[in-house]
Amino acid sequence: MSEARTSGPPAATATGGSGAEPAKDAGSTKDAGTEDTGNRPGPAGGRTRRRTPRALSLLTSGVGRLWLLALLIAAWELGTRTAGSDFYPPPSQILKALHEMWFSGPAAHLFLTDGALEDFRPSLTNLFSGWIIAAVGGIVLGLLIGRSRVAGAMLDPVLNFGRSVPPPTLIPFLLAVLDLGTQLQITTIAFGVIWPVLLNTIEGVRGVDRLQLETAKVFGISGTLRLRRVILPAAAPKIFAGLRVSLGFALILMVISELVGGGTGIGARLTLAQQSFQMPEMWAGIVLLGVLGCLFNLVFHLVERRVLAWHGGARRNDA
């Protein structure tokens, strides 16, 4: 009887006994992909095991990107100096020209020179003016068209045609009907960037779950309140995606409009440098535009994450 007892229970204790729980935890910890810290106990050992791999991965990815960027710049410097072409200055000359043109001013002006104030103010004013006009117009029209099946069916061919017209091709027409300068540039930017906002808003509004609309109707939520509480939150991810794409287009169209019909701004400065064969200054403008594009995207991404934090949490809960 004693032998029978000792031969049977180990299988049961291996699955449900208290002595089997540490082995189960160790296995689950390894399966979760956390860092093995050995048998050293700690007050926050479990919390450290969860956070350490993510922190290390973020640090490794950041360092890897910096090393890759430094390697590319070094290869660029070596290649341009080896080629010795006046049309391809090395990065050291480009950064020097960038500093002298725009960022060698007094500390009271945030190190911006007078040339930076003359170039940045009109360019950024026109860019954000056209982008805001397109954002407001695209969202309002998108809500109206998205909520009306008749309007959507009637205007769909017009929308497809309008989005297919390249905005720079309208500049000759705008030159004939508008004055050179601010009006031409803002109109070009607004027409070119309204389409991502408009089409994404329409798609977002049409994609609202019908169950949410029916629930709001049952609870007596209608009109403006339903638009504000149900439709806009549901369509917000699509709207923000269109706004982000349109911001990148706005930067491109800002430069194009200034290259053609602008006397001031970053694009005009590029044209002047190209005409006078000042290649480091011209490349400095190109690098500046790239940095501005990355900065705009980063800031917009942070704003989007903060505004749509509830949406990310909802997706994680659904998962």
Side-chain angles (χ1 to χ4, degrees), residues 68-276:
L68 179 60
L69 180 61
L71 182 63
L72 291 176
I73 293 177
W76 184 6
E77 181 81 19
L78 180 62
T80 51
R81 289 191 178 276
T82 302
S85 175
D86 294 335
F87 294 98
Y88 303 101
S92 57
Q93 294 184 11
I94 295 174
L95 292 178
K96 181 180 178 181
L98 183 68
H99 176 263
E100 293 177 352
M101 290 173 60
W102 289 307
F103 299 104
S104 59
H109 293 166
L110 300 178
F111 301 102
L112 296 177
T113 62
D114 294 337
L117 297 177
E118 294 177 359
D119 295 336
F120 293 173
R121 185 181 292 114
S123 294
L124 297 180
T125 300
N126 296 334
L127 186 151
F128 287 109
S129 297
W131 181 66
I132 292 173
I133 293 173
V136 174
I139 293 174
V140 172
L141 292 176
L143 290 173
L144 295 176
I145 298 173
R147 294 302 302 158
S148 175
R149 294 183 179 180
V150 177
M154 293 178 59
L155 296 178
D156 188 65
V158 179
L159 297 178
N160 289 327
F161 176 79
R163 66 179 295 188
S164 302
V165 176
T169 59
L170 292 179
I171 292 181
F173 167 75
L174 296 177
L175 287 173
V177 299
L178 297 176
D179 296 332
L180 291 176
T182 303
Q183 292 183 357
L184 171 66
Q185 294 161 15
I186 293 179
T187 304
T188 303
I189 295 172
F191 176 81
V193 306
I194 193 175
W195 302 108
V197 183
L198 175 60
L199 298 176
N200 275 271
T201 303
I202 294 174
E203 184 179 355
V205 171
R206 290 176 178 174
V208 178
D209 190 0
R210 181 171 292 275
L211 180 60
Q212 297 181 5
L213 298 176
E214 295 295 335
T215 304
K217 184 178 180 180
V218 170
F219 283 95
I221 301 175
S222 60
T224 306
L225 187 59
R226 182 178 63 176
L227 177 66
R228 184 162 50 92
R229 293 290 183 86
V230 179
I231 297 176
L232 278 177
K238 287 287 186 180
I239 295 175
F240 270 88
L243 290 174
R244 174 185 286 188
V245 174
S246 65
L247 185 58
F249 286 168
L251 181 63
I252 297 173
L253 292 174
M254 178 204 75
V255 179
I256 293 176
S257 62
E258 290 178 348
L259 289 174
V260 176
T264 58
I266 302 175
R269 181 72 64 180
L270 281 174
T271 302
L272 181 62
Q274 181 266 333
Q275 292 175 350
S276 57

